[in-house]
Amino acid sequence: MKKADIKAVVENRFRELGAKQLELYPSGICWTMNGEFFKVSTLTDFWVLEWTDNHSYASNYCFEDISPMPYDISEQEIIWQVDKLLL
């Protein structure tokens, strides 16, 4: 999958599960649900779901990384990774 496709799948799943989008400076677009903050980052060779339960950390791009994930992943696997993190 392409970077934009992965980001769209992740963010759509965040919405479906009830997460709210917010803009944090300098972190950019993040998501919040149940007092935790989430972000999807698409890097050169892999992508990661990041999270923290600290608003100050989220605002300063200090998320805790979840395992790096490859781009050759199915939509169902992406949804499973998001569900594992949020549910």
Side-chain angles (χ1 to χ4, degrees):
M1 288 188 128
K2 296 179 181 172
K3 291 180 181 184
D5 296 333
I6 290 198
K7 194 169 181 90
V9 169
V10 171
E11 293 185 347
N12 284 338
R13 190 61 180 158
F14 282 161
R15 275 188 209 90
E16 289 171 0
L17 294 175
K20 303 294 181 207
Q21 189 180 65
L22 69 159
E23 182 84 21
L24 294 176
Y25 182 79
S27 299
I29 294 173
C30 299
W31 297 81
T32 185
M33 183 172 166
N34 299 327
E36 294 184 330
F37 300 88
F38 305 92
K39 185 172 179 69
V40 57
S41 296
T42 52
L43 307 172
T44 302
D45 297 321
F46 58 90
W47 63 279
V48 296
L49 287 169
E50 301 169 290
W51 71 275
T52 183
D53 60 1
N54 184 313
H55 182 274
S56 178
Y57 287 0
S59 296
N60 290 296
Y61 204 71
C62 295
F63 292 86
E64 299 177 47
D65 285 353
I66 303 303
S67 300
M69 291 172 260
Y71 283 111
D72 61 343
I73 189 171
S74 72
E75 183 172 338
Q76 190 57 42
E77 289 172 305
I78 295 168
I79 290 169
W80 180 78
Q81 290 291 342
V82 174
D83 288 356
K84 189 170 78 169
L85 179 63
L86 269 67
L87 299 177

